Amino acid sequence: MAESILILGGGIGGVVAANALRSRLSREHRIVVVDREPAFTLAASFLWVMTGDRTPAQVSRPLERLQRKGIEVVRGEVERVVPERREAVVGGRALRGDRLVVTLGAEFALDAIPGLAEAGHTFCTLGGATRLRGALQELRGGRVVILTAAPAYKCPAAPYEAAMLLDGDFRRRGMRGAVELSLYSAEPGPMGVAGPEVSAAVRGMVEQKGIAYHPDHQITRVEGRRIEFKNGTRAEFDLLVYVPPIRPPRALAGSGLVDESGWVRVDRETMATRFPGVYALGDVTMIPLSIGKPLPRAGVFAHDQAEVVAHNVARELGGKGREARFDGHGACFIETGGGRAGYGAGNFYGEPAPAVKVRRPSRLWHAGKVLLEKQILWQWL
Ligand SMILES: Cc1cc2nc3c(=O)[nH]c(=O)nc-3n(C[C@H](O)[C@H](O)[C@H](O)COP(=O)(O)OP(=O)(O)OC[C@H]3O[C@@H](n4cnc5c(N)ncnc54)[C@H](O)[C@@H]3O)c2cc1C
């Protein structure tokens, strides 16, 4: 019997799930993707927009391109989700699926820290990265501060990559000597979820570049050009770059899909929720690990989880193969500037702790990240 699969969110998870389902299911089955934005944007490339190595157009693709493949695209705001009926209210209209895949990501809480959004720039949105590029071009020197505004945020590597890429950008422009570059993190060290070895390696990469690193600094407010931290210290800046805190999508509040944290609880191997036919994957989920921290919010996980869900849904609709399971493996490139990147990979479901290794920065890993970018943008959209 023909079914319809309703996918909420056209980010990494939604786009991969839609493609993977379309390639496995015959055309009688409908696949519908809903997103408020007209375009898919690749967040991993926003750092290159910040450094002027990419334009916004180079890292975006219209979502309606999916329609050429037989995937329906609905542009609109998901206002409410009713998992019992596998239904979403989009712009006042109820859309229903035989299956529902929730992949709405995490929202940025831009208002969480008083004064931060007004005083600083973020590379975490495409608009923010573009404006930051403009501010960097006007900068002639001074104190540049990068900070994480909460210990948990999207992509644990991003702020550390940002600091090293800014170092590289200033060197390329012959102005590194005129810039004092500092990184303040709310967390006690880089990429803590990957273990002490990876954390120390990434810290070493950052400090080797003359970037002053201050862990365990939770920002409380910004006033004028001064940052105040919870531990009583202060820092002055000429340019402030920040990673915003995140929060669960409001559309899911009170839906029964979320727990007291506001994030969606799933079976960590199948991404099934407690509602039959309803799955959730990517940043919107909260998957506790053995070390007490959640699985990091990263596109690599959203991607692999989407493949698992697509495979299993197609299988239930008459497809072949064994049930697929997400096993917690993941990898990321860590841009270090000057056309180099490190590479971290391992099993985040490892017991008693995630088993992750990091490889030294090289041109090869940077080329790997560029290839991945091209593959995502050309294969999926
Ligand atoms: C600067 C930066 C660099 C990164 N680099 C990497 C990297 O190198 N490697 C890596 O693995 N990960 C990286 N990440 C993390 C990665 O981008 C996310 O983990 C990934 O996008 C999560 O995918 P998702 O599908 O769960 O959510 P998203 O990709 O965020 O997609 C969610 C979608 O839902 C839509 N949406 C949300 N709410 C609504 C609503 N109410 N109505 C309609 N539409 C809605 C949004 O518009 C969005 O398109 C980076 C993130 C940032 C910010």
Side-chain angles (χ1 to χ4, degrees):
M1 205 174 69
E3 283 209 1
S4 62
I5 295 122
L6 181 60
I7 302 172
L8 305 180
I12 294 270
V15 164
V16 172
N19 274 275
L21 281 162
R22 189 70 291 165
S23 67
R24 289 170 170 88
L25 293 177
S26 60
R27 290 293 169 121
E28 60 178 341
H29 300 290
R30 285 177 66 202
I31 299 163
V32 182
V33 174
V34 184
D35 204 293
R36 59 159 76 103
E37 299 296 336
F40 169 89
T41 54
L42 183 59
S45 298
F46 294 174
L47 290 165
W48 290 331
V49 172
M50 173 188 79
T51 55
D53 293 294
R54 297 285 185 282
T55 63
Q58 285 172 321
V59 303
S60 317
R61 295 285 181 273
L63 272 172
E64 65 183 25
R65 278 193 189 208
L66 293 172
Q67 292 181 169
R68 296 183 311 192
K69 304 181 180 185
I71 298 164
E72 297 169 46
V73 178
V74 174
R75 185 166 172 210
E77 182 74 22
V78 176
E79 288 149 4
R80 206 154 48 83
V81 178
V82 190
E84 296 86 346
R85 295 205 295 266
R86 295 183 292 278
E87 184 180 285
V89 179
V90 181
R93 192 161 63 106
L95 300 182
R96 200 175 284 184
D98 299 302
R99 319 262 170 161
L100 181 65
V101 182
V102 180
T103 173
L104 290 172
E107 284 179 7
F108 290 119
L110 294 171
D111 50 359
I113 308 286
L116 181 60
E118 297 75 19
H121 292 274
T122 184
F123 51 80
C124 289
T125 62
L126 186 53
T130 310
R131 287 187 290 277
L132 173 54
R133 181 68 203 147
L136 285 164
Q137 274 172 319
E138 278 171 25
L139 189 79
R140 296 290 166 259
R143 296 155 300 183
V144 176
V145 168
I146 302 156
L147 64 81
T148 64
Y153 44 85
K154 291 191 193 192
C155 188
Y160 300 93
E161 293 182 279
M164 293 188 278
L165 284 169
L166 286 183
D167 167 84
D169 186 41
F170 294 141
R171 284 180 203 276
R172 189 167 55 182
R173 291 159 58 197
M175 55 182 286
R176 181 64 178 95
V179 175
E180 200 184 290
L181 196 50
S182 321
L183 171 56
Y184 291 81
S185 73
E187 64 276 17
M191 301 171 70
V193 68
E197 217 174 285
V198 174
S199 191
V202 176
R203 182 173 181 158
M205 291 175 199
V206 168
E207 289 181 332
Q208 222 174 29
K209 294 183 182 293
I211 300 164
Y213 179 49
H214 308 276
D216 270 326
H217 277 64
Q218 172 61 58
I219 182 176
T220 52
R221 59 188 288 147
V222 185
E223 220 173 86
R225 293 190 165 196
R226 196 178 64 202
I227 306 158
E228 295 177 17
F229 295 101
K230 202 172 168 187
N231 61 13
T233 57
R234 292 172 175 183
E236 308 266 337
F237 63 87
D238 296 299
L239 180 72
L240 175 59
V241 181
Y242 69 95
V243 174
I246 51 170
R247 65 180 163 222
R250 283 166 221 242
L252 297 182
S255 67
L257 273 174
V258 299
D259 66 11
E260 60 289 345
S261 71
W263 302 101
V264 183
R265 284 292 171 127
V266 287
D267 177 302
R268 71 178 202 165
E269 293 184 340
T270 64
M271 316 315 290
T273 68
R274 66 187 179 93
F275 296 93
V278 181
Y279 306 85
L281 57 96
D283 285 3
V284 77
T285 63
M286 163 74 83
I287 301 180
L289 301 179
S290 53
I291 49 169
K293 293 178 180 161
L295 184 72
R297 294 195 162 78
V300 60
F301 298 129
H303 180 288
D304 291 355
Q305 292 164 354
E307 294 269 12
V308 165
V309 169
H311 173 88
N312 291 340
V313 168
R315 186 174 166 269
E316 284 174 26
L317 295 178
K320 296 193 192 98
R322 281 204 244 153
E323 189 188 38
R325 296 197 160 251
F326 173 63
D327 63 5
H329 279 81
C332 79
F333 299 100
I334 307 159
E335 284 285 293
T336 56
R340 290 172 188 272
Y343 180 72
N347 178 12
F348 286 77
Y349 284 176
E351 298 285 348
V356 184
K357 291 259 176 270
V358 69
R359 305 276 185 88
R360 275 216 315 259
S362 76
R363 294 198 180 279
L364 185 74
W365 300 126
H366 170 72
K369 183 150 186 167
V370 175
L371 262 177
L372 182 65
E373 174 197 49
K374 306 286 173 243
Q375 192 214 338
I376 292 170
L377 291 171
W378 293 110
Q379 184 179 350
W380 301 121
L381 286 133

